[in-house]
Amino acid sequence: MISTLKKIVLPLSILVILGFLLFMINQISGVYLMLKEVNELTANVVLVLLSALGIGLVGWPVLLFLKLPRAISLPTSADELPRYRQQLLKRLKKNELLRAEGLQPQQVEDLQESILVLNQSANKVIQQTATAVFLTTSVSQNGKLDALTILATQSRMVWKIAHIYYQRPSLRELMYLYSNVAGSSFLASEIEDLDISQQV
C-alpha cells in the first residue's frame, strides 16, 4: 500500500512543480508584456529581476540539497538501533544550534534533550513563517503577489528547518516539500482570481 502511494505521490509532485514553473513563467511574461506597452527599458529591467528571483527560488532546493549532509537512514530493525543512535549522536555534536545553546551531547542519554531543543527551534520558525504569511497576504490585495510571497517564505522555512537539524532531506522528500509549497502558492493565487458571485 505504501509503495503504491509513493509511486502515485512522486509523479504528482513532479506534475505540481512543473505546473507551478509554467505558472511562474506565464505571470512573468504577463508583467513583461504589460510594462512593455508603457516603457520597454523598464519592462526589460523588471523581466531580468523577476527571472533572477524565479531562478533563485527554484534553485533554492538544489542549493539546500548540496550544502547540508545527507539525512541519517532510520533503523528498520532493533539491531540497527544502536548504530543509528551513534550516528545521530555524532551528527548532533556538530550541530551549531546546540553549541550556541551550550549543549554538547556526549552520550546516547543526551539525545532526547538535544532533539527537544531542536524541535522547539523548528516550531518557533514554523510559527514565525505562519505569522509572516498571514501579515503579508492580509495586506496584499494581489493573488499573484501572494503566491510569490508564500513561495518565498515557505522555501525559507524549509531552508531554516533543514539547517536546524543540520541535514538535508532526501531528493524525494525535497520534491514532496516543494510540490506542497508550489501547490499552496498556486492555489492561493487561483482562489484570489475566482469570482465567487459568478460561481454561486
Side-chain angles (χ1 to χ4, degrees):
M1 177 70 179
I2 294 174
S3 61
T4 308
L5 192 61
K6 284 180 180 178
K7 287 178 183 175
I8 294 170
V9 168
L10 188 61
L12 280 176
S13 299
I14 295 170
L15 186 65
V16 168
I17 289 171
L18 288 175
F20 186 76
L21 288 175
L22 290 173
F23 165 76
M24 269 182 53
I25 292 167
N26 180 41
Q27 298 309 311
I28 290 171
S29 64
V31 171
Y32 171 75
L33 291 173
M34 183 179 66
L35 289 175
K36 191 177 178 183
E37 293 179 6
V38 179
N39 187 327
E40 191 167 349
L41 178 62
T42 306
N44 289 333
V45 170
V46 170
L47 176 65
V48 169
L49 290 174
L50 288 177
S51 299
L53 178 65
I55 290 168
L57 290 174
V58 172
W60 206 308
V62 178
L63 182 62
L64 172 63
F65 187 76
L66 295 175
K67 188 173 180 180
L68 294 173
R70 191 172 60 184
I72 301 168
S73 301
L74 292 172
T76 54
S77 65
D79 297 334
E80 296 178 5
L81 191 57
R83 183 170 167 268
Y84 168 76
R85 285 177 173 163
Q86 289 302 322
Q87 287 179 327
L88 185 59
L89 187 62
K90 186 179 176 183
R91 176 70 55 84
L92 291 176
K93 283 179 184 177
K94 298 177 183 176
N95 193 298
E96 292 180 11
L97 182 66
L98 292 177
R99 286 181 184 176
E101 292 286 332
L103 284 173
Q104 283 292 319
Q106 300 297 330
Q107 299 177 351
V108 173
E109 289 74 21
D110 300 332
L111 288 176
Q112 190 170 359
E113 184 185 359
S114 300
I115 291 171
L116 184 63
V117 170
L118 296 179
N119 287 345
Q120 288 172 346
S121 297
N123 286 335
K124 195 180 292 182
V125 168
I126 291 167
Q127 289 171 357
Q128 288 171 351
T129 304
T131 305
V133 168
F134 174 76
L135 290 174
T136 52
T137 54
S138 63
V139 171
S140 168
Q141 298 299 315
N142 188 325
K144 306 299 184 277
L145 183 61
D146 289 349
L148 287 174
T149 301
I150 291 170
L151 179 65
T153 52
Q154 290 189 356
S155 297
R156 191 163 176 259
M157 180 187 71
V158 172
W159 174 268
K160 281 183 170 182
I161 291 175
H163 274 77
I164 286 171
Y165 291 102
Y166 191 61
Q167 64 180 20
R168 67 178 182 232
S170 68
L171 187 58
R172 181 175 290 174
E173 289 169 339
L174 209 59
M175 287 187 68
Y176 176 74
L177 285 170
Y178 279 94
S179 65
N180 279 337
V181 170
S184 60
S185 304
F186 180 73
L187 283 174
S189 66
E190 291 305 310
I191 288 170
E192 179 73 20
D193 292 339
L194 282 176
D195 190 341
I196 303 298
S197 62
Q198 284 187 359
Q199 298 299 323
V200 171

